[in-house]
Amino acid sequence: MTLASANPFFRSTTLKKLAIGVLSLIVIGGLRAPLSEAESVSQGSRHLTPHYDYAGLIHLHTSYSDDASGSYDSLASDAGRQGIRFLIVTDHNTLKPISDGRQGWKGGVLMLTGVESSQPEGHMLGLNIASAPADGKTPTAPFLSRVQAEGGLAVIAHPTHRKWAWKGPIDDRIMGMEILDLADQFYDAPAQAKTAAFAALPFRPMAAYLELGGRPASALAKWDHITRTRRFVGLYAPDIHQAIELSDDWKIPFPPARDIMRIARDHIVTPTPFTGRHEEDAPLVYDALRAGHVFVSLDVLGDGTGFMFTGERPGQTAWMGDQIAAGPPTTYRVRLPASAAPLKPVIHLLRNGSEVARSAPGDAGLTWASDDDGVYRVEVTTRVPTLAGAPREMIWIYSNPIYARAD
């Protein structure tokens, strides 16, 4: 797979220059990213059961992919400096890093291996697998059967991309999808926004970068549609390649992973802490992902560590990703992290994709009670500057849903 097929954002010369300009300014400090040195721990206040919050990234590439550069060691080093606790590397159509011994704890970061498999219907990530077909030639149904047989997780990548949108059915063996892909955000930004961002880079780098991001409306709509009938996990993907192909023989290692890692993270919520032993901690990560105990945070705006969304009734607490019986009144609670204060965010509680409650700007949380069934999830928004001067709304945090079902 070539970079042109994997990252069409970089195919035109103008867009290559824009990408280099945008991310070069990120390097010199155009974006701020307050980061936690360790996991956030809640010891169970009046409304929270004890849990641990670990920031990580899923869907990254190394030189095991022919359109990428970098290594497991370099990714671990970059992530460790930023307080990121786990990475799941998904090189194209290969699981060779497993036999090469690349998995394990490196510099305080749990390095795990999956695969990005090219299917006739689109692209799919296979996680927590060791020997499932990874040659890019196996049809989707046998691929999913092997993933299932190994107890793995299948995730749709680039589900609404102009070129790679998933064209097949949503098989029951598919666990979830990317609701936010950074490369897709850059690629899908309007031409006017790209032009304006390029012109503003020397003067307003933060606003220039943010001009290229937006609400992933089509992905969220697809996700909401699927979750109406089944549990389906939503994840973030940085799709790191660290390679811009300027010609067949000339590839530069850019944008650097250390900069892309600053933008957004998947935060898993676990009932027990990491132990520092790969054989015990890898299942902790995959169990949290499978359960949907995960939220997405644009940590470049503020570290999301400490966010929590629960559904509660006497004797029962559901975390995001859990199912709870509809009927008895359920109290839905959202808690924001300490980093929220300067952002003056607004919490939006959605049921089946439509807003049913919201907080006042700057509130530290939201409480809302209902006995209606439905799929409840949270978006936390904040106002960010634009190149035109007037601020616009952006999503800071996306939660996975709580499913209130009648049975």
Side-chain angles (χ1 to χ4, degrees), residues 61 68-70 74-75 78 240-244 252-258:
H61 298 273
S69 68
S74 65
L75 289 177
D78 289 336
I240 290 173
H241 280 74
Q242 298 191 100
I244 296 178
I252 61 174
F254 201 87
R258 64 179 178 271

Side-chain angles (χ1 to χ4, degrees), residues 171-332:
D171 191 289
D172 287 344
R173 293 167 292 185
I174 301 175
M175 179 205 77
M177 61 178 271
E178 296 173 355
I179 58 172
L180 183 66
D181 183 294
L182 188 63
D184 292 356
Q185 285 269 294
F186 286 171
Y187 180 64
D188 290 338
Q192 183 178 358
K194 292 171 183 172
T195 302
F198 184 71
L201 283 173
F203 314 105
R204 301 177 62 192
M206 175 80 171
Y209 163 70
L210 292 176
E211 198 79 4
L212 298 176
R215 179 183 177 84
S218 58
L220 292 176
K222 186 178 187 72
W223 188 35
D224 286 331
H225 177 73
I226 297 169
T227 57
R228 290 290 298 272
T229 57
R230 56 166 291 192
R231 295 175 65 216
F232 207 63
V233 179
L235 299 172
Y236 163 71
D239 199 6
I240 290 173
H241 280 74
Q242 298 191 100
I244 296 178
E245 193 173 44
L246 299 180
S247 71
D248 290 342
D249 301 319
W250 188 16
K251 186 191 304 178
I252 61 174
F254 201 87
R258 64 179 178 271
D259 304 316
I260 297 299
M261 288 178 177
R262 300 174 66 190
I263 297 171
R265 320 274 171 66
D266 291 294
H267 288 250
I268 60 169
V269 178
T270 67
T272 58
F274 283 157
T275 66
R277 295 182 291 274
H278 167 258
E279 65 276 9
E280 297 179 24
D281 297 335
L284 201 62
V285 172
Y286 291 126
D287 287 349
L289 294 176
R290 190 190 309 275
H293 295 167
V294 57
F295 65 91
V296 174
S297 172
L298 270 69
D299 282 357
V300 71
L301 300 177
D303 184 2
T305 302
F307 170 86
M308 191 59 175
F309 173 44
T310 60
E312 302 166 15
R313 63 168 64 117
Q316 184 179 9
T317 298
W319 290 359
M320 52 196 135
D322 290 343
Q323 182 167 315
I324 195 167
T330 299
T331 299
Y332 297 94

Side-chain angles (χ1 to χ4, degrees), residues 6 9 17 29 100-101 105 151 180 220 229 233 254 271 286 302 341 356 367 383 391:
F9 174 74
K17 291 178 179 178
D100 287 348
W105 280 96
L180 183 66
L220 292 176
T229 57
V233 179
F254 201 87
Y286 291 126
V356 293
T367 300
R383 307 287 290 179

